[in-house]
Amino acid sequence: MEALVSGAKKGVMLSLPGIKLRSQELTPVDEGLLKASHYSDIQEVSKKKVVGVVGATQDYAIYVHEDLQARHTTGQAKFLTTALKEREQKTIQIIKASIKKEMKNKT
């Protein structure tokens, strides 16, 4: 069980930068503060799950993310959601490979 959780955590940690980068690429830019405020981190690790987060710290991030009516010269609404969906299969591959490697190393 320890190798499984360890591998999952490593896989999530390896996946987060790609999701963050893609989200930043999709983020609408006015002054660049929202784009620069992106972060990624492991939020929770237990025997049942590993939770990674990607977000933005600017107070107005939720409004920019959710406003589907806004027209941006660069970027788009739902920049976080879109990045996660676009990177979903790659994230799964990375996590699977990390678990497999960890399990192999523990035997």
Side-chain angles (χ1 to χ4, degrees):
M1 182 68 89
E2 186 179 313
L4 177 65
V5 173
S6 177
K9 181 179 178 184
K10 287 178 183 178
V12 171
M13 287 174 42
L14 290 170
S15 299
L16 290 175
I19 298 167
K20 176 185 164 190
L21 177 62
R22 184 61 182 138
S23 180
Q24 287 174 308
E25 292 170 349
L26 296 170
T27 299
V29 176
D30 183 13
E31 296 177 14
L33 297 175
L34 179 57
K35 187 176 184 176
S37 77
H38 276 62
Y39 67 92
S40 62
D41 200 6
I42 297 290
Q43 184 177 30
E44 179 183 347
V45 178
S46 71
K47 290 181 180 179
K48 294 185 179 185
K49 64 183 171 181
V50 176
V51 178
V53 293
V54 175
T57 60
Q58 290 295 318
D59 292 339
Y60 59 89
I62 188 71
Y63 302 106
V64 176
H65 186 267
E66 296 300 318
D67 188 356
L68 300 176
Q69 303 305 313
R71 298 292 168 238
H72 306 284
T73 54
T74 60
Q76 65 179 59
K78 299 290 188 181
F79 47 91
L80 289 162
T81 304
T82 302
L84 182 59
K85 286 181 181 177
E86 287 181 5
R87 299 282 304 177
E88 182 177 19
Q89 290 306 312
K90 182 67 174 172
T91 298
I92 291 168
Q93 290 173 354
I94 291 169
I95 293 169
K96 282 182 177 180
S98 293
I99 291 171
K100 187 175 181 178
K101 182 178 179 181
E102 196 71 17
M103 298 290 276
K104 184 178 179 182
N105 290 342
K106 296 291 180 177
T107 56

